């Protein structure tokens, strides 16, 4: 996987983060609290930035698993990437909501503690920030991919996902999915498995390893969109599929421009910190009878500043430190070194 492909993925992450932020600050805020201006209905489609994140996740996780040898490697890579900055972002959000946030977004200390596990979605506990629901799905995806990896089934990944996507599509088409508890739907990824599967298929396509099964999964994933969503929503996600394919094949140079790369770099921290704190900023502007457009601009600036600070003071340093620590101190390395030493210096 060369640097150009990494650049494309960063650009896609940046685009997705911007789309979701626009959706929250304009359309979703208007639903929850009401803006004093008419919000263009087209801004609701920024929500589909989440779907782009899931495509990227499918691509990257399969890529990661194809490069490692041991399950613990994968677990440590994900933990070091996701949790340190998440803990800090959740804590900052909690205290800002406690002192300044809208009442309906103030959480309890017990909620914060459970949120630290990132399992709150399965435990019936509220998310400290609304966007954290997607992390619930990400964890489920990592879990199932790790199981497949440990069972040596990555070579048969398309067969598994063909059955999985077909099951999810059938449940949606028949309406039976509505009778399944939401926590189980999250665990089994029934509402979004087609997106993760498509990301894996795009990886196979990019690496020249696609088979008939790969195309079958991708086709079923696309067809499932038109069952799960209205026509316009499905069409937008289809365009996102096309955008994703073009991007990973270096067909969209715009994504390599510095603003998109910068947003891609800070996208995770920005995503974690933007919604509730952004709402609080907008709320404060309304309370002081100031321009809501200025409030939205300040919400973006606040999220950018906090996202940047979190990325370069917490996310990247913590990730680098933890990964270096693991490489130097992992039990696996110690065992391997001991075996090699015994082999070269027999008693």
């Amino acid at each position: 996987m060369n640097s150009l492909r990494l650049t494309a993925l960063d650009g896609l992450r940046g685009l997705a983060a911007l789309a979701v932020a626009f959706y929250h600050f304009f359309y979703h805020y208007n639903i929850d609290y009401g803006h004093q201006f008419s919000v263009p209905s087209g801004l609701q489609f920024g929500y589909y930035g989440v779907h782009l994140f899931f495509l990227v996740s499918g691509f990257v996780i399969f890529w990661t698993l194809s490069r490692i040898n041991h399950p613990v490697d994968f677990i440590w890579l994900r933990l070091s990437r996701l949790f340190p900055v998440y803990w800090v972002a959740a804590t900052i959000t909690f205290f800002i909501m406690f002192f300044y946030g809208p009442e309906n977004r103030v959480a309890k200390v017990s909620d914060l503690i459970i949120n630290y596990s990132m399992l709150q979605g399965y435990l019936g506990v509220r998310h400290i920030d609304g966007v954290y629901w997607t992390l619930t799905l990400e964890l489920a995806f990592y879990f199932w991919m790790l199981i497949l990896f440990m069972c040596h089934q990555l070579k048969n990944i398309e067969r598994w996902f063909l059955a999985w996507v077909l099951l999810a599509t059938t449940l949606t088409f028949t309406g039976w999915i509505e009778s399944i508890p939401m926590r189980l739907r999250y665990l089994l990824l029934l509402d979004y498995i087609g997106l993760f599967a498509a990301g894996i298929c795009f990886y196979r396509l990019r690496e020249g390893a696609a088979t008939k099964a790969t195309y079958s999964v991708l086709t079923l994933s696309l067809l499932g969109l038109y069952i799960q969503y209205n026509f316009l929503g499905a069409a937008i996600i289809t365009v996102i599929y096309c955008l994703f394919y073009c991007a990973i094949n270096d067909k969209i140079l715009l994504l390599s421009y510095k603003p998109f790369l910068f947003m891609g770099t800070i996208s995770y921290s920005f995503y974690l910190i933007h919604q509730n704190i952004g709402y609080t900023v907008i709320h404060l502007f309304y309370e002081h009878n100031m321009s809501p457009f200025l409030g939205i601009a300040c919400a973006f600036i606040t999220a950018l500043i906090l996202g940047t600070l979190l990325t370069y003071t917490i996310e990247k340093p913590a990730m680098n430190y933890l990964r270096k620590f693991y490489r130097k101190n992992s039990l696996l390395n110690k065992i391997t070194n001991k075996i090699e030493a015994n082999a070269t210096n027999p008693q």
Side-chain angles (χ1 to χ4, degrees):
M1 189 72 62
N2 61 34
S3 61
L4 286 175
R5 273 174 268 172
L6 281 175
T7 298
L9 293 175
D10 279 341
L12 288 170
R13 289 191 187 100
L15 181 63
L18 287 173
V20 172
F22 269 97
Y23 165 75
H24 282 139
F25 293 162
F26 284 94
Y27 190 82
H28 196 270
Y29 184 94
N30 189 51
I31 292 174
D32 280 4
Y33 305 106
H35 275 302
Q36 292 177 357
F37 59 89
S38 178
V39 176
S41 60
L43 288 174
Q44 67 181 294
F45 301 123
Y47 170 74
Y48 294 113
V50 168
H51 298 67
L52 179 52
F53 274 129
F54 290 155
L55 278 173
V56 173
S57 185
F59 187 98
V60 170
I61 295 306
F62 192 78
W63 172 20
T64 301
L65 287 170
S66 69
R67 294 184 298 140
I68 64 172
N69 297 313
H70 304 282
V72 178
D73 295 343
F74 176 73
I75 293 170
W76 194 261
L77 285 172
R78 290 293 90 197
L79 290 178
S80 63
R81 170 77 169 90
L82 297 181
F83 276 92
V85 71
Y86 167 74
W87 291 329
V88 176
T91 304
I92 292 172
T93 301
F94 171 82
F95 281 108
I96 289 180
M97 291 305 101
F98 184 82
F99 290 109
Y100 304 106
E103 267 186 42
N104 67 330
R105 294 185 180 271
V106 177
K108 297 181 292 187
V109 174
S110 58
D111 295 333
L112 175 63
I113 293 171
I114 294 173
N115 267 251
Y116 285 151
S117 70
M118 216 181 276
L119 296 173
Q120 63 275 6
Y122 299 112
L123 300 175
V125 175
R126 68 180 298 169
H127 298 287
I128 294 298
D129 192 290
V131 301
Y132 294 173
W133 70 271
T134 60
L135 301 179
T136 302
L137 293 170
E138 291 281 353
L139 283 186
F141 178 60
Y142 301 160
F143 171 76
W144 292 118
M145 289 300 295
L146 183 62
I147 294 297
L148 290 172
F149 174 80
M150 293 173 65
C151 295
H152 306 289
Q153 289 299 306
L154 292 189
K155 61 182 180 295
N156 300 317
I157 194 72
E158 287 94 347
R159 295 179 185 177
W160 285 100
F161 275 89
L162 187 61
W164 200 344
V165 176
L166 182 60
L167 171 64
T169 302
T170 301
L171 290 172
T172 301
F173 180 74
T174 60
W176 294 343
I177 196 170
E178 299 301 329
S179 64
I180 300 175
M182 187 55 69
R183 293 179 204 178
L184 184 58
R185 284 169 66 171
Y186 274 17
L187 180 61
L188 298 178
L189 300 167
L190 295 178
D191 297 286
Y192 298 96
I193 187 59
L195 295 161
F196 291 110
I200 292 173
C201 290
F202 283 125
Y203 177 85
R204 291 286 216 189
L205 288 168
R206 187 62 183 84
E207 292 300 290
T211 64
K212 290 181 179 179
T214 307
Y215 289 105
S216 297
V217 174
L218 190 56
T219 301
L220 183 58
S221 172
L222 277 168
L223 291 175
L225 297 176
Y226 292 87
I227 294 173
Q228 184 176 0
Y229 301 91
N230 60 38
F231 180 81
L232 182 57
I236 290 172
I237 303 174
T238 301
V239 171
I240 291 174
Y241 275 38
C242 295
L243 173 68
F244 190 89
Y245 177 79
C246 292
I248 61 172
N249 285 284
D250 310 319
K251 303 295 185 183
I252 306 177
L253 297 179
L254 179 65
L255 292 174
S256 64
Y257 287 3
K258 289 184 179 180
F260 282 111
L261 293 181
F262 173 74
M263 279 304 305
T265 300
I266 71 166
S267 60
Y268 181 51
S269 293
F270 175 88
Y271 183 77
L272 292 175
I273 207 74
H274 84 275
Q275 186 182 9
N276 281 7
I277 293 176
Y279 285 3
T280 300
V281 172
I282 298 169
H283 212 64
L284 290 172
F285 270 75
Y286 272 119
E287 285 185 348
H288 291 85
N289 296 315
M290 299 173 69
S291 167
F293 295 104
L294 182 59
I296 291 171
C298 286
F300 268 109
I301 293 170
T302 301
L304 284 170
I305 292 172
L306 289 175
T308 302
L309 288 173
L310 287 174
T311 298
Y312 291 104
T313 64
I314 304 296
E315 180 185 342
K316 286 184 175 295
M319 181 174 65
N320 292 335
Y321 173 80
L322 290 171
R323 291 182 179 182
K324 287 180 181 178
F325 175 83
Y326 175 70
R327 286 195 295 268
K328 291 180 180 179
N329 299 281
S330 71
L331 178 62
L332 179 64
N333 287 339
K334 291 179 181 179
I335 293 173
T336 302
N337 292 337
K338 188 173 181 179
I339 292 173
E340 290 177 351
N342 290 337
T344 55
N345 299 293
Q347 297 297 322

